[in-house]
Amino acid sequence: MRRRMTLSLGSAAVLAASLAVAVTAAPAVASPGLLAAMQRDFGLTAQQAETRVGQELAASRLMPVAREAAGAAFGGAWFDPALGKLVVGVTDLAAAAPVRQTGAVTVPAGISAAALDAAKAAVDAAAKAKPAPAAVSGWRTDPRSGSLVVTLQPGAHGDDVDAFLDTARRAGPVTLAEAPRPRTVSAGTVGGDPYYINGNTRCSIGFSVQGGFVSAGHCGGAGSSVVGWDGSAMGHFAGSSFPGNDYSFIRIENGWWTAPVVLGWGTVSDALVRGSWVAPAGTSVCRSGSTTHWHCGTVLGLNETINYEQGAVYEATRTNVCAEPGDSGGSFITGDQAQGVTSGGWGNCGSGGETWFQPVNEILGVYGVSLVTA
């Protein structure tokens, strides 16, 4: 354990001397390994990857300011990589000027984000009272189309699906999409660099927090024991929630300690963690897990509901980053900003797919813990 973590901290110390935090400029704020993964998965040059990370960090920090400037006219926001800027929808053109003064780009929106969120909340409430049909993969708000997007499994039909869609349409405008049903991505015991729950389930560490680390809730229930990658006793689940949510807090013991890094598993350099600014839709994001290591993609949407076989999980973030069994609980990070822990998805890292994560800030608030940061 100590040998592996010492290597991680050594690389982190080297990175600390070379990385600069930027708010509005474009210098790199991510590890060389993460930037290399972005180059591979997005087809970027090194300079383009550095520039994009800087722009995305600026957009993440700008988003709450732009939302406040828009007021009741706020129609959602997303990062546009072609523009390198945050785009904000506004339902009232009078709000466009103050939003543009923050540095964001504005576009007209047909419905406010508050109205879309309320529509989704109504569908969530209905699903909690009566579980959604298995043929419904999930539902989300989409500020770019100004609608609730309900995702159905290919070929889905039936009275139960029609009834669910009727409920959604009563709540707000609906757009239909097709995708396979997501699944959680925990796994049985195999070789690699995992943590194990009760000796027979493998998941991945999310982020170090004061007193332990956070991960996915479906990996284990409260009280479950945990051993580390080296087989030594690591600690136990101090809290866990799944379904409804998909997060957990594992309290570490027996000499284990925390570090403000996301491991590169020997494939790329470790990434420093400096905070948890929320990345808007359109932003790049990279995932680290014990099965498939580093992969990058894009944040596709926030506050989405996933309809797993075990039940719905709410307020998740959807990405087009791939994942496979054993990656559950692993880290999603944009630049040096923690985003969330891997929940589940569909597809794999050979053919592609989509993966959802539970936002880290919600987990920190629920368990009253703070990130360990560089």
Side-chain angles (χ1 to χ4, degrees), residues 14-360:
V14 174
L15 292 175
S18 61
L19 297 180
V21 177
V23 177
T24 58
V29 289
S31 73
L34 187 146
L35 292 170
M38 289 179 63
Q39 292 175 60
R40 176 197 68 201
D41 292 344
F42 287 101
L44 302 176
T45 66
Q47 182 59 54
Q48 287 171 334
E50 290 186 9
T51 298
R52 178 159 173 172
V53 168
Q55 291 170 338
E56 290 173 344
L57 177 60
S60 298
R61 294 181 174 180
L62 179 60
M63 186 161 61
V65 179
R67 180 170 192 149
E68 182 176 359
F74 181 71
W78 56 92
F79 176 77
D80 186 329
L83 298 175
K85 291 180 176 293
L86 184 73
V87 179
V88 177
V90 291
T91 59
D92 183 351
L93 293 181
V99 172
R100 286 196 294 268
Q101 288 175 356
T102 70
V105 175
T106 61
V107 296
I111 186 171
S112 70
L116 273 183
D117 287 344
K120 181 178 180 294
V123 178
D124 287 348
K128 291 174 183 177
K130 180 181 180 181
V136 177
S137 298
W139 53 98
R140 63 184 186 270
T141 60
D142 179 21
R144 280 168 278 201
S145 67
S147 67
L148 290 173
V149 178
V150 177
T151 305
L152 305 177
Q153 294 184 55
H157 60 83
D159 292 342
D160 56 346
V161 173
D162 292 340
F164 180 88
L165 293 176
D166 287 343
T167 298
R169 289 177 176 125
R170 285 194 296 270
V174 169
T175 300
L176 299 182
E178 283 193 353
R181 190 176 197 180
R183 56 178 172 77
T184 56
V185 285
S186 54
T189 300
V190 297
D193 194 10
Y195 76 94
Y196 297 92
I197 305 92
N198 292 334
N200 58 10
T201 300
R202 172 166 64 86
C203 279
S204 301
I205 294 173
F207 294 96
S208 293
V209 298
Q210 299 299 330
F213 63 89
V214 294
S215 190
H218 71 262
C219 290
S224 297
S225 61
V226 173
V227 298
W229 64 273
D230 61 353
S232 66
M234 191 179 209
H236 68 280
F237 280 74
S240 180
S241 179
F242 178 80
N245 306 296
D246 194 5
Y247 48 62
S248 60
F249 168 45
I250 293 84
R251 192 178 300 282
I252 56 173
E253 302 156 348
N254 305 311
W256 284 81
W257 48 284
T258 58
V261 296
V262 173
L263 295 176
W265 315 108
T267 303
V268 298
S269 302
D270 298 340
L272 289 171
V273 178
R274 288 196 173 96
S276 56
W277 287 89
V278 177
T283 304
S284 68
V285 66
C286 294
R287 181 193 54 73
S288 183
S290 61
T291 299
T292 59
H293 303 162
W294 277 102
H295 286 275
C296 298
T298 303
V299 174
L300 301 179
L302 285 65
N303 187 25
E304 302 199 359
T305 299
I306 324 163
N307 192 31
Y308 290 128
E309 180 181 0
Q310 301 93 327
V313 169
Y314 304 92
E315 299 179 12
T317 298
R318 182 171 59 107
T319 78
N320 59 9
V321 185
C322 67
E324 295 181 7
D327 287 327
S328 277
S331 322
F332 269 89
I333 187 168
T334 295
D336 58 3
Q337 301 296 305
Q339 297 301 320
V341 301
T342 304
S343 176
W346 59 267
N348 56 56
C349 290
S351 60
E354 293 182 346
T355 305
W356 283 256
F357 65 78
Q358 189 86 71
V360 71

Side-chain angles (χ1 to χ4, degrees), residues 3-6 77 114 148 227 334 374:
R3 174 185 59 80
R4 182 59 169 268
M5 294 304 293
T6 300
L148 290 173
V227 298
T334 295

